[in-house]
Amino acid sequence: MTGTAGASRGARTGDRRLGRAGVDETALRLFAEHGVAGTSLQMIADAMGVTKAAVYYHYKTKDDLVLGVLAPVFAEVRRVVERAQTQRSRSARVDTLVTGLIGIVVEQGPRYGVFNGDLYVAELASKDPWLQSAGPLVTELLLGPDPDTAGLVTASMFFASLTGPLRDPVLSGLPPEQLRAAMLDGAHRLLRIPRRPAGRPPGADPGESA
């Protein structure tokens, strides 16, 4: 009896996890189509064919849902920034940052597009102390302290370019590794950062021995 009850509890837990994954997937699709502000919990429930209460089972508010859906991007951006901060030279910091951000774009796809391009998300991010500081921190990692206007414009063009391939029907269909390589090449051209030698891991200082 104990084993059967334990199995039943495990099955119910698995069902809840599957249900939350379904909410996240549906919400992300609707966010990409309508924007976060234009997507209601009722729309998500209708798209899933469930009641609104079923969505509330996993998320108590819309803000909770948005933060839950985008949590993987928040975590990855923080990891990339913190890794870039540990690099000893500016070239290694820039290389780590650019390679890491492009990796997130390629791997997270539409999730990154919502994270980086939605005003509702920007408002939520402004309430998080670390995310609020992330913009200036990333700019400093990329350009160094006291950047000039030309540098700031170049950095702005780079950040804006990250979501371009996600919206281009031709480029978004490229195999992930081909898209990653092309984006890295474009970033090197735009930012004029040194090319990393083949086989050298991201963030390795070009001046250091392998």
Side-chain angles (χ1 to χ4, degrees):
M1 290 292 292
T2 302
T4 302
S8 297
R9 284 195 297 271
R12 287 196 297 272
T13 301
D15 289 344
R16 286 198 293 271
R17 285 199 298 267
L18 180 62
R20 179 164 178 160
V23 172
D24 288 0
E25 180 181 346
T26 303
L28 181 61
R29 175 171 56 81
L30 293 175
F31 290 163
E33 292 176 3
H34 306 288
V36 177
T39 301
S40 66
L41 296 184
Q42 186 63 60
M43 288 171 64
I44 295 168
D46 290 345
M48 294 181 68
V50 300
T51 64
K52 193 174 179 180
V55 177
Y56 275 121
Y57 179 85
H58 300 286
Y59 295 106
K60 300 308 179 186
T61 68
K62 182 175 178 177
D63 285 0
D64 287 343
L65 184 148
V66 175
L67 293 173
V69 170
L70 298 181
V73 174
F74 293 149
E76 282 299 298
V77 168
R78 184 163 189 161
R79 183 187 65 79
V80 166
V81 169
E82 290 177 346
R83 184 163 181 261
Q85 289 178 294
T86 66
Q87 305 304 315
R88 289 184 290 177
S89 71
R90 179 175 177 273
S91 62
R93 289 192 292 272
V94 172
D95 184 63
T96 300
L97 181 68
V98 170
T99 302
L101 291 177
I102 288 174
I104 296 172
V105 173
V106 172
E107 292 158 15
Q108 298 287 348
R111 190 174 263 108
Y112 182 86
V114 173
F115 163 78
N116 194 47
D118 193 284
L119 294 177
Y120 191 108
V121 176
E123 178 64 25
L124 276 184
S126 70
K127 301 173 184 177
D128 182 285
W130 188 87
L131 288 173
Q132 191 174 20
S133 66
L137 178 57
V138 167
T139 300
E140 183 173 344
L141 285 169
L142 194 64
L143 302 175
D146 302 318
D148 60 16
T149 301
L152 291 171
V153 169
T154 300
S156 179
M157 291 171 65
F158 165 69
F159 293 130
S161 73
L162 289 174
T163 55
L166 301 177
R167 300 188 177 100
D168 188 307
V170 176
L171 298 179
S172 63
L174 290 175
E177 287 311 310
Q178 186 178 351
L179 177 60
R180 186 195 307 268
M183 290 184 69
L184 283 170
D185 183 67
H188 280 93
R189 293 170 184 267
L190 177 64
L191 300 172
R192 299 181 181 179
I193 53 180
R195 300 297 180 100
R196 186 173 70 249
R200 189 179 296 276
D205 193 325
E208 297 176 351
S209 58

